[in-house]
Amino acid sequence: MGCAITDGTKDILLFTTAGKAIRFAEDEVAPWPRSRRRARRALSDEQRVNALIVAEQGFILTASQNGFGKLTPLDDFPRHGRGGQGVIALQITDRNGRMVGALQVSTDD
């Protein structure tokens, strides 16, 4: 998946193998001690988080296991609450396969 060091004021995007993405404010994540943390299961058994992006500007490039990709403006990912379901970042079909990753890119990449 990934990790990132930020300044505490950014938006975070999480992507799943089912083609979904959620964007939320970084300050919505509470820095709880590990012993008091409770996990909230928002994913089905067949989904896994496979990408973490700290939102800057530009585009998000998503890729499927069968070699298809999609370039989406970052602004097309609206901010949700951290426990929300998010939006569809990439259609998962028999032709495309599951989503294998996502990267933040610019037009110069």
Side-chain angles (χ1 to χ4, degrees), residues 1 17 34 58 91:
M1 184 179 89
T17 55
R34 196 173 275 221
Q91 289 288 334

Side-chain angles (χ1 to χ4, degrees), residues 56-79:
E56 298 292 340
Q57 35 181 308
F59 297 88
I60 301 295
L61 175 64
T62 51
S64 75
Q65 73 184 105
N66 293 336
F68 293 94
K70 179 181 174 187
L71 192 63
T72 308
L74 184 61
D75 292 339
D76 284 1
F77 295 93
R79 186 187 281 184

Side-chain angles (χ1 to χ4, degrees), residues 17-40:
T17 55
K20 297 204 86 179
I22 187 163
R23 180 179 184 168
F24 57 89
E26 180 181 359
D27 61 7
E28 288 187 31
V29 180
W32 296 330
R34 196 173 275 221
S35 62
R36 303 186 82 185
R37 189 175 321 184
R38 290 186 183 167
R40 181 172 186 269

